[in-house]
């Protein structure tokens, strides 16, 4: 981490990394992308570069309750996963991959398990060069 923090990236290249790494399949930035994971439009106001690196390098290290992933099994054997958007005695509403929001009757749920892992892939840095990672963090830090 300390080694990464001494480097200054290029936010424009970082935007390209964000797109090529398909981060926009789960995140919104200024209305562009998919509303599944946190909206990153102002992440630079919320997290320091250190915090952004920590979130990218260890996404399961600190998951907000809003983004706790749950795995469910339905009575027909179908397995679904998502974030609980709302819940009543009768139903649960999930935001699932792709930003799809669906309601499920609780009487059809046979199991429910909270994941200990983030929905964000834990090996993103393995897909990027050091320079690409630095550029990506520089881009995210610039979003205010």
């Amino acid at each position: 981490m300390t080694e990464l923090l001494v480097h200054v990236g290029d936010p424009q290249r970082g935007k390209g990394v964000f797109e090529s790494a398909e981060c926009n399949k789960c995140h919104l930035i200024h209305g562009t992308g998919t509303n599944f994971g946190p909206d990153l439009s102002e992440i630079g106001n919320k997290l320091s570069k250190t915090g952004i690196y920590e979130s990218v390098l260890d996404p399961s290290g600190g998951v907000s309750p809003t983004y706790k992933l749950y795995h469910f099994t339905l009575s027909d054997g179908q397995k679904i996963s998502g974030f609980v958007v709302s819940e009543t005695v009768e139903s649960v509403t999930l935001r699932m991959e792709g930003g799809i929001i669906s309601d499920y009757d609780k009487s059809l749920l046979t199991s429910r398990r909270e994941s200990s892992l983030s929905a964000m892939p834990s090996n993103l840095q393995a897909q990027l060069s050091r320079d690409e990672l630095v550029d990506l963090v520089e881009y995210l830090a610039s979003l205010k």
Side-chain angles (χ1 to χ4, degrees):
M1 177 78 68
T2 305
E3 181 184 323
L4 292 169
L5 287 168
V6 299
H7 297 283
V8 177
D10 180 305
Q12 273 309 114
R13 284 195 314 253
K15 182 178 182 183
V17 172
F18 184 86
E19 292 166 359
S20 66
E22 298 185 331
C23 302
N24 55 357
K25 281 191 166 185
C26 293
H27 296 283
L28 284 172
I29 293 181
H30 303 298
T32 301
T34 301
N35 185 16
F36 179 59
D39 184 328
L40 300 178
S41 299
E42 296 183 11
I43 193 67
N45 284 332
K46 298 173 186 172
L47 293 177
S48 66
K49 281 188 189 180
T50 300
I52 294 171
Y53 274 116
E54 288 172 350
S55 295
V56 171
L57 297 173
D58 184 16
S60 296
V63 179
S64 162
T66 305
Y67 294 100
K68 284 277 187 190
L69 185 64
Y70 287 88
H71 303 288
F72 296 86
T73 303
L74 302 178
S75 56
D76 65 1
Q78 180 184 4
K79 296 185 184 303
I80 56 172
S81 298
F83 307 128
V84 175
V85 174
S86 66
E87 187 168 8
T88 65
V89 173
E90 296 88 23
S91 69
V92 62
T93 303
L94 300 178
R95 179 179 301 120
M96 300 182 298
E97 210 171 308
I100 298 165
I101 296 184
S102 295
D103 294 315
Y104 292 92
D105 189 318
K106 281 187 167 178
S107 68
L108 301 176
L109 303 176
T110 59
S111 73
R112 171 184 185 149
R113 182 178 56 85
E114 180 180 320
S115 178
S116 60
L117 300 175
S118 170
M120 184 170 153
S122 61
N123 63 345
L124 178 63
Q125 70 276 10
Q127 302 170 31
L128 305 175
S129 70
R130 186 196 69 201
D131 289 343
E132 289 172 326
L133 179 58
V134 170
D135 289 342
L136 174 63
V137 170
E138 197 72 40
Y139 169 61
L140 294 173
S142 76
L143 297 173
K144 299 183 179 198

